[in-house]
């Protein structure tokens, strides 16, 4: 997978249902996701991946020390995306400097013989009804679904940044 495919996946990923919770400043946070993609091989077939991703407790790392960020369980394509972030292509989300370690669960894949819009709508309704404040629904790109999942995590970092920064300041850690 080349940069063009990664850029395409980033541009065509959408978080359809955002968790109510954010990344916890002083503990681990586990988001339960449903990632919906269209099959590249069959018309009218949607794949629904179910699993979780975890953001471990943020650690304060002094600027320019991004080498402490680890990636576990992701393919080489996803690891290339992280390398791009380490090289400065992440758009300035300061919380990444705290040294998150990301891991993900085994992924269950369900093949549904329906249009992606119908499956996505139903999956969002199920998320609303679940009451799970850590649930996310993501529409992504099949060939680069892990990049879509990582984009979700980057968005969660960006949304959590202000709260985490406040918590660190309040405790006199930064």
């Amino acid at each position: 997978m080349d940069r063009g495919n990664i850029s395409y996946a980033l541009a065509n990923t959408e978080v359809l249902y955002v968790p109510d919770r954010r990344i916890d400043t002083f503990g681990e946070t586990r988001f339960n996701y449903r990632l919906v993609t269209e099959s590249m091989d069959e018309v009218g077939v949607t794949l629904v991946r179910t699993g979780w991703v975890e953001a471990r407790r943020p650690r304060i790392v002094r600027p320019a020390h991004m080498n402490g960020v680890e990636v576990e369980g992701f393919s080489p394509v996803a690891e290339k995306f992280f390398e791009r972030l380490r090289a400065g292509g992440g758009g300035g989300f300061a919380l990444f400097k705290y040294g998150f370690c990301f891991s993900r669960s085994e992924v269950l894949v369900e093949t549904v013989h329906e249009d992606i819009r119908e499956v996505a709508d139903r999956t969002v309704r199920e998320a609303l009804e679940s009451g799970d404040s850590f649930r996310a629904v993501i529409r992504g790109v099949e060939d680069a679904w892990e990049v879509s999942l990582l984009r979700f995590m980057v968005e969660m970092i960006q949304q959590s940044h202000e709260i985490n920064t406040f918590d660190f300041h309040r405790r006199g850690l930064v």
Side-chain angles (χ1 to χ4, degrees):
M1 181 170 293
D2 62 20
R3 285 184 152 185
N5 291 346
I6 292 171
S7 295
Y8 179 82
L10 293 172
N12 289 286
T13 295
E14 181 180 5
V15 180
L16 302 175
Y17 185 80
V18 179
D20 291 335
R21 299 292 304 263
R22 298 295 175 256
I23 296 172
D24 187 33
T25 307
F26 301 108
E28 295 181 356
T29 307
R30 183 177 290 190
F31 295 104
N32 304 308
Y33 70 86
R34 305 292 184 273
L35 189 121
V36 181
T37 61
E38 285 184 284
S39 172
M40 301 297 290
D41 300 324
E42 298 178 70
V43 175
V45 174
T46 302
L47 299 164
V48 180
R49 288 177 174 81
T50 301
W52 54 263
V53 288
E54 183 175 81
R56 295 192 180 141
R57 184 178 74 78
R59 294 183 187 103
I60 301 171
V61 177
R62 299 295 166 223
H65 292 101
M66 294 290 287
N67 293 334
V69 178
E70 300 174 28
V71 181
E72 296 177 9
F74 286 95
S75 72
V77 171
E79 288 179 17
K80 284 182 184 178
F81 174 69
F82 261 97
E83 287 303 321
R84 181 175 159 194
L85 293 176
R86 285 184 184 122
F93 52 88
L95 197 58
F96 198 79
K97 294 178 182 176
Y98 298 156
F100 279 100
C101 176
F102 294 102
S103 61
R104 70 167 171 85
S105 70
E106 289 298 316
V107 178
L108 301 174
V109 182
E110 177 185 2
T111 302
V112 181
H113 295 273
E114 293 179 53
D115 181 76
I116 190 170
R117 289 178 295 266
E118 295 169 15
V119 175
D121 289 346
R122 183 174 54 250
T123 306
V124 168
R125 280 194 309 274
E126 290 168 357
L128 280 165
E129 294 167 1
S130 76
D132 181 354
S133 60
F134 293 98
R135 174 82 56 97
V137 177
I138 307 154
R139 187 181 66 224
V141 175
E142 177 59 28
D143 285 351
W145 69 269
E146 287 182 313
V147 173
S148 296
L149 184 58
L150 289 170
R151 165 137 181 233
F152 159 71
M153 289 303 296
V154 168
E155 286 184 22
M156 292 311 300
I157 290 169
Q158 291 169 331
Q159 293 174 15
S160 302
H161 176 73
E162 188 175 336
I163 293 166
N164 296 144
T165 301
F166 174 80
D167 289 343
F168 281 130
H169 280 288
R170 186 180 59 176
R171 292 205 182 172
L173 298 172
V174 289

